[in-house]
Amino acid sequence: MNENPKKILIIEDEIPMARAMKLKLENEGFSVKTVHNGKDAIDALDTEEFDCALVDIILPQVDGFAVLDHLRSKNQDMKVIVLTNLGQIEDRKKIQKFNIDGYYVKSNISIASTVANVKNILA
Amino acid sequence: MNKTNKKLNVPIKTKKTPRSYKFKTVSYFAVSVAVMTILINLFWIFPYISTKDPSEILGKYILGEGVVPENIIIIFLLAFVWFVLAFFYIVVLRSLEELIVAMEQSTAGNYKSRIKSFSLKGEFKILGTLFNRMMDHVQLAHTTLDEKVQEKTREVKKQAERLKQQNLELQKSKDDLSHALKDLKSLNDNLKLEKIKTDSIISSMGSGLIATGKDGNIFIVNKGVEEILQKDKEEILGKPAFLVLDFFDVESGRISQEEGPHYRALRGEAGSADLNLRTKNGMMITTRNVFAPMKLGDEIVGAVSILEDVTEEKQTELALKEFVSLASHQLRSPLTVVNWHTEMLLADNDLNAKTKALAQEILTQNKRMQALVNSLLNLSKVDFGTLDILKEQINISSIVDGAIANNALCQKKKNIVVEKHVDENLSLIYSDPIMLSEIFENLLSNAIKYTPEGGKIVLEVRVDDGHLFVQIRDTGYGIPEKDKPQIFSRLFRASNAKLIDTDGNGLGLYIVKKIVIKLGGSIWFESQENQGTTFFIKIPI
């Protein structure tokens, strides 16, 4: 067991998805926190430090763009992977502005590939 | 009789040589002799009578009483007179006659007429010589004059010819001018008609039309513009386009003067721009501006643009995009949940084989559904013209890996070998990762689907000369010759494919081709039935 596991924040309103991803990442030795809306995400980012955030865009209360904006205003170095089912060009353009480390359409990527990508960027 | 002077070509009057003068002279001479004889006799008789008795004289004369000295003197006198007269005749009258004839001839225009001086005597010879000299001068003067006249005549003739020619040319020019005037009038009428037509077209156009001069000031505007801007023509004409048209970029706000459609057109650009526009009452509308420079030869003399209010169209497009976005999110989210959970189930070593097989089937079918949703979403993008490209630095190898991973289930099930050959020197490339993923996943999925169990698929990726080259080669069923021309058609499925796999939707290759074209590339294939197919892609990076 890794004594200083990398801390991951999962920001995902689909609870089953968040739960599956949390389980998978914890199995891989990461420390994982999940939040299910934008407001809780901002609170978590304000109170804790994370090595990586997996961010969904369609979120209740505060959307993923606002969360990314807040995140980058506080921390330019944190690794960020956007996992969304939005594929519109406008959304992708907006997301690109936040200097992210990965952008994936959730339905097109397996959970194993997602975890592999997280491991890669934190390596 | 009238003759024609050959040199002058004018008729001259000629007189017959006056031979009568000779007879006149002879008669004068005869009369003179007679008169002189009478006069001498009178001279002889009267003085003699006056001094002698006439009967005495007569008696002596009749009786022949010797010749008296007076008689001898008289006879000598008569002879002398006769000789004088003869001399007078020969010397004077003949000379005069010669002179008169020559003068007559010269006055009749015969400047060659000369006096035969050898027939003249004394002063008449001098006179004749002088006359001849004078005639020489006259003839010379006449000849010179004649030549000059002829020369002048020739010049006049030439001049007349030139004038005639000029006159003809003038007449022709006049005719041409007359025709040109007629044509011009006809052209003018046509132009007026065309102007009326053009004005009518411009004013009845649903869209707005604005034309500016080289200075950017508006000089043509139609009703469409008045309606869009809610301004009268008088408020628009003669003013700079950038003051009249208050444009805002949809994303970045008010645009500068140089970014305005008319100023871009004045710089030689032609194109289209969707821009927000603030109207007179402050309302913001969305406009589509199609603009182009007005050229006279190579010189840009102004700019013209068509202005359309596309607010409603944009709102509809936005609503549609939102719907597609929402639909894609709503459809994909449950699929993702099923995918991920099934995937985790399959990774659970405690699961028995039967349950694992069931879970595998769930995953397979879910992926089919996922592929169908992706195809429909992409199709809607193609149909609505929103299949947009967003390029970034990407690692092509990881995209190929992702495509292989997503097709791994089916590949393993059919025991198909997938070989991946990505150029080791390949660094990051600049392209659209989502679109490239769609291409690889579709082509790999097709290759697996239409290759029999135990087959082989080779995937090669290399970069050369600024292009990404992809080859996906399979040992599959191949494409029948008759189906080849339609293989990229929408909803088309090869005849053998329909028999092999009944689940295909005929959208995959259609969408792949659309994406490749959107990326500026090309796609083609080689195939032989029952031997395999190779797809080739070339995309600029």
Side-chain angles (χ1 to χ4, degrees), chain B residues 210-214 219 261-263 265-266 292-294 300-305:
Chain B
I210 303 171
T212 66
K214 213 172 176 178
F219 70 90
H262 287 91
Y263 295 88
L266 286 174
M294 279 197 289
I300 295 171
V301 293
V304 64
S305 78

Side-chain angles (χ1 to χ4, degrees), chain B residues 288-303:
Chain B
R288 179 158 298 146
N289 299 268
V290 181
F291 56 89
M294 279 197 289
K295 286 185 174 178
L296 211 64
D298 288 336
E299 192 193 354
I300 295 171
V301 293

Side-chain angles (χ1 to χ4, degrees), chain A residues 14 16-17 20-21 23 58 85-90 92-93 96 103 105-112, chain B residues 321 324-325 328-329 332-333 336-337 339-341 343-344 370 374 381 388-390 392 406 432 434:
Chain A
E14 290 276 351
M17 255 189 270
M21 184 59 75
L23 193 61
I58 305 294
N85 274 324
L86 293 177
Q88 300 299 95
I89 205 85
E90 290 78 9
R92 287 174 61 198
K93 277 183 184 172
Q96 263 193 352
Y103 167 88
V105 175
K106 282 186 280 189
S107 67
N108 293 351
I109 189 167
S110 68
I111 195 162
Chain B
K321 278 187 177 176
V324 172
S325 176
S328 67
H329 183 264
R332 281 166 166 169
S333 291
T336 311
V337 173
N339 262 353
W340 287 7
H341 281 81
E343 202 185 324
M344 287 177 76
Q370 176 197 323
N374 282 341
K381 286 180 186 173
D388 296 318
I389 301 298
L390 186 62
E392 56 186 275
N406 279 345
D432 186 319
I434 305 290

